[in-house]
Amino acid sequence: MGEESVDLREVLRDARRVVVFTGAGVSAESGIPTFRDALTGLWHRFDAAELATADAFRRDPALVWGWYEWRRMKVLAASPNDGHEAIAAMERRVSKLTLITQNVDDLHERAGSAAVIHLHGSLFAPRCFACARPAAFPEERPEEPEGGRRIEPPECAHCGSPVRPGVVWFGESLPEGALEQAFEAARACDVLFSVGTSSLVHPAAEIPFAAAQAGAAVVQVNPNATPLDRLARFNLRGASAQVMPRLVRETWPGH
Ligand code: OAD
Ligand code: ZN
């Protein structure tokens, strides 16, 4: 890393509160297709923003449920990568680290991160479409063909309505508590990492801006340019599974 990262290592060692804000790019190296990449097979002629809505579910529940089941099976078959592991390791080195993710997978948890804030919900928390009570997945785990398939959603045990994925769809609000906690942590931190997110989807995309406004140093980890480039004090161009472990190693050598 260049000279810039020498400063970053100092900033990080001195930081009392760190926020790590992640997106689909963090899970890319675990083989989880990013949201927009996921539209292959059965869903290739759809737009992600078209499928991830309550309207789409109402219109064709089996199409939408099948899509999320396919994604859930991909996640179950995947493992956390070195990027997830490095973020969990960082949490053990700094006095306070808050991890905020837009991802609906559980790879941060499986890497050992505690108390992950899931802004966009989870693939593993289905609930009733009508009465919102938590629901369970059917016992047997479906073998999803590579191209995906339609699957009728289970019925709610209480009211018989279809069960929906526990994710935030377009047009829906984010879980209020999670959003509040995220902004609070962002406004109170010394350093915020934005890792693997296109910074395009609001309100989540505003979190790094809130941190910068409150005086935090913003660090971006992304192989590609994003709208956050101009705000970030440090732009680390590269893959999360390479950049994050190296940064942790170089900041806390000998650990
Ligand atoms: P996107 O798919 O929009 O963006 C993924 C970002 O990861 C891009 O900026 C890539 O350049 C970057 N990337 C790819 N490979 C990477 C790697 N190995 N290491 C680091 N970065 C990498 O995903 P998100 O920003 O997470 O919302 O999308 C935000 C939200 O949009 C999602 O949570 C989802 C979607 O609509 C909902 O479902 C509500
Ligand atoms: Zn119900």
Side-chain angles (χ1 to χ4, degrees), residues 167-252:
V167 303
V168 176
W169 279 331
F170 288 102
E172 295 182 328
S173 9
L174 276 55
E176 211 171 286
L179 193 62
E180 244 165 58
Q181 255 183 298
F183 273 98
E184 225 165 79
R187 281 190 293 260
C189 73
D190 309 303
V191 183
L192 178 140
F193 284 85
S194 172
V195 191
T197 171
S198 57
S199 295
L200 292 174
V201 179
H202 291 263
E206 286 143 43
I207 290 169
F209 288 85
Q213 215 159 41
V218 171
V219 187
Q220 175 169 240
V221 180
N222 199 310
N224 301 306
T226 80
L228 202 63
D229 285 20
R230 62 190 168 83
L231 181 86
R233 193 176 305 169
F234 303 94
N235 271 299
L236 309 182
R237 287 267 187 261
S240 144
Q242 264 102 59
V243 173
M244 295 307 288
R246 190 167 58 205
L247 182 63
V248 170
R249 244 184 352 254
E250 292 183 357
T251 304
W252 296 280

Side-chain angles (χ1 to χ4, degrees), residues 55-73:
D55 268 351
F57 185 75
R58 238 177 249 119
R59 212 177 305 131
D60 193 343
L63 180 75
V64 174
W65 182 259
W67 184 42
Y68 282 95
E69 282 296 85
W70 179 81
R71 291 174 61 194
R72 184 166 71 95
M73 294 312 128

Side-chain angles (χ1 to χ4, degrees), residues 89-200:
M90 194 187 275
E91 180 174 324
R92 296 190 291 267
R93 313 265 187 279
V94 300
S95 49
K96 170 124 182 93
L97 186 144
T98 306
L99 176 53
I100 307 165
T101 189
Q102 299 165 86
N103 297 342
V104 293
D105 64 46
D106 62 349
L107 297 181
H108 282 306
E109 283 89 346
R110 278 156 60 191
S113 286
V116 185
I117 300 176
H118 279 274
L119 282 182
H120 290 165
S122 160
L123 286 173
F124 301 97
R127 64 173 189 271
C128 176
F129 187 59
C131 76
R133 283 193 178 87
F137 290 109
E139 271 299 311
E140 96 288 3
R141 192 183 279 186
E143 270 304 315
E144 293 315 305
E146 197 41 46
R149 64 186 170 115
R150 304 167 55 85
I151 304 174
E152 288 299 332
E155 284 174 6
C156 171
H158 301 276
C159 75
S161 300
V163 168
R164 59 162 285 174
V167 303
V168 176
W169 279 331
F170 288 102
E172 295 182 328
S173 9
L174 276 55
E176 211 171 286
L179 193 62
E180 244 165 58
Q181 255 183 298
F183 273 98
E184 225 165 79
R187 281 190 293 260
C189 73
D190 309 303
V191 183
L192 178 140
F193 284 85
S194 172
V195 191
T197 171
S198 57
S199 295
L200 292 174

